[in-house]
Amino acid sequence: MLFSAAARQTTRRTALYLATGAAATTAIVASTAAHAPTERGLGLKREIDFWSSVAPVVWDYWWNSFQSSPKVKFKEASRKRAGLGAHERVQRDYDDDEERKALLHQLHERNAPVIYNVMLRLGGLYIKLGQVLSVTALPIPEKYREYFRLLQSNVPNHQDFVATVQPTLERELGAPLHEIFDSIDEIPCGAASIGQAHRATFKETKEQVIIKVQYPNARWQVPADIECIGDLLQLCVRFGLVDEASSRLSYEEFARQFLSELDYENEVRNLKRVCQSSLDPRAPYLQRGVVLPRVFDEYCTKQVITMSYLPGRKFEEETKRQLSLLGVDTKKSIHSMIRETGERYETHDDKKEDAVTLSRPLDLSSQQSALSWKEKISSIMSNFVSVDLLFSLVRLSRRVVLWSQSATVKCIQVASSLSIVPPDWKEWADARQNLMLQSLRLDWTEEAILTLFDVHGYQILNQGLFNADPHPGNILVDFPTDVNKKPTIGLIDYGQCKQLTPAERVQVARLIVSIAEKQSDDVIADNFRTLGIKTKNDSTRFLADFGRLMFGSLEAKHLDHRWHKDLHTEDRVLYFPKELSMVYRTALLLRGLAMSLQFNPSVGEVWKHHALEAIKEHGSS
């Protein structure tokens, strides 16, 4: 724990006093002064900074809109004394509804920029939190979502090399950088909330490497930020904004995820294990052209990881290019687009139910319950057009366009050599001479998607150790100059790994097989229950459909909003097992990537052979 519970409680109370204009107590000042030279003191000061900034926002919402507020109580008491008749009471309730909506709109307008500026100023984990909230399915007020979307780009995302990175590297590696490296790029090739990565070349071997360095303040800053987020979540529970059980589970997973990223030594162990397993000829890595970086142990510490350089550009860039070829707007970040695409059909049903239930007291969502014209169209389409057919038609039409344009380019280039076409035709053809290559890469994309599914299925079900954050920024693709050779896929960043025991792998495998083989509702539901899922009504149909939604292919009925509403009405999730949570997250990211590229694979079918092997090897243990 960063510091004592009493100190944190004092911090929160003082922050709330600050919100009303009271000065900080001498106790908090004394506590800060006592701890200031230490990491605990720095963490405490950061928490005070957070709460002194956020507490006025909390006060604003509480004082103006919550039943426990003296202002709201006085207003209600005044209305009760008015003694209105039945008709007047109905009209008053309607007016109250409209007044409350207007009030909340004003509160959101007033406070969203404040919260945004706090996140921007404090940086680190708050930037990451804002990015997640900008695409979450939870009922975030639209004004907040607008500001959080700004955190997806144009945010200072790395620290100065000379001032921060170089001193950290030289301290951790025990020598000046020029004695170890022949060169090192000062501009990072990647950056995150807790650290950044630089490309370098060893002095002796001339081998190119990637150096991942953790910011020196991350070890105390991340735990402090997690404490603040947890305390703020408790306030939201107390005010009735979120459900306590589901929010606790979400917070615990959020905290575990980011605290694990601080443990570079564990990341090195994970990367070495996965890299070693990739060398097995029976594994899908070598067969499918997938590589992982090697770790240089002598240049790894608690704050530094040095690994071999993998050539290629991020799959995020290739994804954006492919989406552009398919006529999809790519102005948003690819990571956000993929999350939105996956969550559109895959969001946990307990979150959906809670989102509907919890949005009512504060009118956080303006969506209407009536079926919109889009819902009606999706309902009609679901009766006639399959998702696979729809995706196939989109890709086929694009492929036909590419091939036809490519043939036209060839004809013009041949004709231009005979000087029988205008010069501007030749310029047009020269600008589009790579259309054939684009068409070939369009074909390769489907193989790449299946490769990513296959490799991660092997990690989960065969090895029990997997990367739970396979977003496109953690995937590299290297296209060779020879078009006859297959591209190479590189997998990087193993800071968010999950370990499954053999027994847990078997339980997940049985669920996967039952979905892949389209077994009965009873079998799928029982396999789900074995994993520990708890629902309000323990509905067999709900569990079976939920399982198919998670690990099956997208079906036409899933495009019908009424199907989802019926499912949520029947039951809702109370507890989702942690073991399955990270497996599902991995499948969600991969499936969102596939759907964004107009592919609709069944996770269960792709992972089935790995699942059967896991059951065969560990099923009787």
Side-chain angles (χ1 to χ4, degrees):
M1 192 64 65
L2 189 63
F3 48 85
S4 69
R8 288 202 314 276
Q9 184 68 18
T10 305
T11 301
R12 289 195 296 273
R13 287 177 178 173
T14 302
L16 291 172
Y17 292 149
L18 287 171
T20 62
T25 62
T26 53
I28 198 70
V29 174
S31 176
T32 304
H35 292 286
T38 67
E39 288 188 357
R40 290 186 175 184
L42 293 171
L44 176 58
K45 290 175 66 176
R46 185 170 173 85
E47 293 200 30
I48 294 173
D49 190 1
F50 171 83
W51 280 107
S52 61
S53 302
V54 170
V57 175
V58 176
W59 174 267
D60 195 13
Y61 277 96
W62 176 76
W63 179 254
N64 289 291
S65 65
F66 283 91
Q67 296 295 326
S68 56
S69 161
K71 178 180 178 180
V72 176
K73 285 182 177 179
F74 177 78
K75 190 174 181 180
E76 286 297 316
S78 299
R79 287 178 173 177
K80 286 181 180 179
R81 287 195 297 268
L84 300 176
H87 176 74
E88 288 81 359
R89 283 197 300 271
V90 171
Q91 182 62 40
R92 188 196 65 184
D93 290 342
Y94 175 80
D95 292 341
D96 287 350
D97 240 14
E98 294 303 309
E99 182 182 345
R100 185 169 183 77
K101 288 179 182 179
L103 171 63
L104 289 171
H105 178 75
Q106 292 174 4
L107 288 171
H108 300 334
E109 288 277 346
R110 184 162 63 236
N111 291 299
V114 176
I115 295 299
Y116 166 77
N117 286 321
V118 170
M119 288 178 159
L120 198 61
R121 178 172 58 81
L122 293 177
L125 201 60
Y126 295 110
I127 298 291
K128 185 69 174 180
L129 177 64
Q131 292 171 344
V132 171
L133 291 176
S134 71
V135 297
T136 185
L138 292 174
I140 303 297
E142 187 56 34
K143 179 54 64 174
Y144 281 89
R145 201 181 294 271
E146 288 176 11
Y147 275 95
F148 292 159
R149 287 195 190 107
L150 299 176
L151 299 173
Q152 295 286 356
S153 59
N154 301 323
V155 175
N157 60 352
H158 65 86
Q159 296 192 13
D160 184 73
F161 181 84
V162 175
T164 303
V165 176
Q166 183 173 344
T168 302
L169 286 173
E170 292 183 342
R171 183 182 68 250
E172 291 294 310
L173 299 180
L177 293 185
H178 66 82
E179 294 183 6
I180 305 173
F181 303 104
D182 193 37
S183 64
I184 181 169
D185 294 343
E186 294 190 6
I187 303 300
C189 56
S193 57
I194 68 167
Q196 59 195 55
H198 294 261
R199 185 174 173 180
T201 303
F202 276 138
K203 194 176 187 67
E204 293 185 2
T205 65
K206 306 302 180 184
E207 182 173 3
Q208 291 188 341
V209 295
I210 295 295
I211 310 168
K212 183 177 178 179
V213 57
Q214 188 178 115
Y215 299 140
N217 59 359
R219 298 194 68 83
W220 58 264
Q221 193 176 95
V222 172
D225 293 348
I226 289 175
E227 290 285 354
C228 287
I229 293 170
D231 292 338
L232 183 61
L233 189 61
Q234 288 180 16
L235 279 177
C236 292
V237 171
R238 183 178 178 184
F239 290 156
L241 295 177
V242 295
D243 174 69
E244 182 175 9
S246 60
S247 63
R248 184 179 67 251
L249 291 173
S250 300
Y251 170 73
E252 288 174 355
E253 184 55 46
F254 175 83
R256 188 210 64 79
Q257 173 184 330
F258 285 100
L259 287 174
S260 67
E261 289 194 18
L262 291 173
D263 192 348
Y264 273 18
E265 292 176 317
N266 188 54
E267 181 175 347
V268 167
R269 288 191 294 269
N270 291 336
L271 182 53
K272 289 170 68 175
R273 281 186 57 189
V274 177
C275 187
Q276 184 62 36
S277 70
S278 72
L279 302 178
D280 188 338
R282 297 169 298 179
Y285 299 89
L286 297 177
Q287 303 169 12
R288 290 185 172 271
V290 177
V291 295
L292 286 87
R294 294 178 292 107
V295 172
F296 295 90
D297 286 313
E298 61 271 34
Y299 299 108
C300 293
T301 70
K302 290 183 177 180
Q303 285 187 263
V304 175
I305 301 176
T306 305
M307 65 197 89
S308 59
Y309 166 74
L310 297 183
R313 60 190 182 194
K314 290 184 178 181
F315 200 84
E316 182 166 7
E317 298 173 12
E318 177 62 18
T319 303
K320 181 171 288 190
R321 197 187 66 79
Q322 292 288 344
L323 290 173
S324 180
L325 287 176
L326 291 168
V328 178
D329 182 14
T330 59
K331 292 180 181 179
K332 295 180 182 179
S333 80
I334 295 299
H335 198 183
S336 300
M337 292 171 65
I338 288 167
R339 285 189 181 276
E340 288 176 339
T341 303
E343 288 174 349
R344 188 172 303 141
Y345 303 106
E346 311 269 354
T347 304
H348 287 12
D349 291 317
D350 56 333
K351 287 185 179 179
K352 289 181 178 177
E353 175 68 21
D354 290 341
V356 174
T357 303
L358 295 172
S359 66
R360 288 169 187 158
L362 283 177
D363 293 329
L364 295 178
S365 174
S366 61
Q367 295 178 350
Q368 301 297 317
S369 59
L371 210 61
S372 68
W373 65 272
K374 291 183 179 180
E375 291 175 311
K376 293 177 181 177
I377 290 177
S378 70
S379 177
I380 295 171
M381 287 183 62
S382 68
N383 294 324
F384 299 100
V385 183
S386 72
V387 177
D388 290 327
L389 177 60
L390 187 63
F391 283 175
S392 297
L393 289 174
V394 171
R395 297 186 64 80
L396 177 61
S397 64
R398 186 55 198 165
R399 189 176 286 109
V400 169
V401 171
L402 287 173
W403 276 93
S404 62
Q405 289 185 355
S406 179
T408 304
V409 167
K410 282 290 184 183
C411 292
I412 292 175
Q413 288 177 335
V414 171
S416 66
S417 64
L418 302 175
S419 302
I420 59 175
V421 297
D424 55 337
W425 285 29
K426 186 178 183 303
E427 292 177 5
W428 179 88
D430 291 342
R432 291 161 177 78
Q433 60 183 353
N434 65 338
L435 289 172
M436 186 71 73
L437 180 59
Q438 291 180 359
S439 180
L440 292 174
R441 288 187 178 180
L442 202 62
D443 292 331
W444 170 82
T445 306
E446 182 174 12
E447 183 181 346
I449 293 296
L450 294 176
T451 294
L452 292 172
F453 271 102
D454 191 19
V455 166
H456 286 87
Y458 176 82
Q459 290 181 359
I460 292 168
L461 297 163
N462 188 290
Q463 298 297 303
L465 179 66
F466 62 97
N467 180 12
D469 192 28
H471 66 78
N474 288 340
I475 304 168
L476 302 176
V477 54
D478 183 30
F479 287 99
T481 54
D482 186 349
V483 295
N484 295 316
K485 291 184 178 180
K486 289 185 177 181
T488 300
I489 295 177
L491 303 180
I492 60 175
D493 195 348
Y494 278 74
Q496 292 187 32
C497 279
K498 174 67 178 178
Q499 176 79 55
L500 297 179
T501 66
E504 290 168 347
R505 281 146 58 189
V506 169
Q507 291 173 347
V508 173
R510 285 180 174 145
L511 177 62
I512 293 294
V513 170
S514 63
I515 292 170
E517 295 183 347
K518 296 179 172 57
Q519 296 181 13
S520 67
D521 287 5
D522 288 333
V523 174
I524 296 175
D526 286 343
N527 287 329
F528 224 152
R529 293 185 183 103
T530 301
L531 279 160
I533 191 170
K534 304 292 183 185
T535 67
K536 183 178 181 180
N537 302 322
D538 194 30
S539 167
T540 294
R541 188 184 80 85
F542 172 85
L543 288 172
D545 283 346
F546 189 19
R548 295 186 185 103
L549 187 64
M550 288 171 58
F551 296 116
S553 59
L554 184 65
E555 299 179 24
K557 64 183 180 182
H558 297 152
L559 300 178
D560 188 346
H561 289 246
R562 289 179 296 184
W563 183 87
H564 290 274
K565 290 180 180 179
D566 291 342
L567 188 66
H568 308 153
T569 301
E570 182 164 337
D571 206 349
R572 70 183 182 94
V573 175
L574 299 177
Y575 172 76
F576 197 83
K578 296 178 182 178
E579 296 75 20
L580 189 59
S581 175
M582 300 306 285
V583 175
Y584 176 57
R585 183 175 187 270
T586 303
L588 176 65
L589 285 172
L590 293 174
R591 190 171 176 183
L593 175 58
M595 288 194 295
S596 70
L597 291 171
Q598 312 299 327
F599 294 116
N600 183 30
S602 165
V603 181
E605 291 178 9
V606 179
W607 286 357
K608 179 182 173 181
H609 66 290
H610 295 307
L612 290 173
E613 290 178 8
I615 294 171
K616 180 180 179 181
E617 184 175 356
H618 303 290
S620 59
S621 59

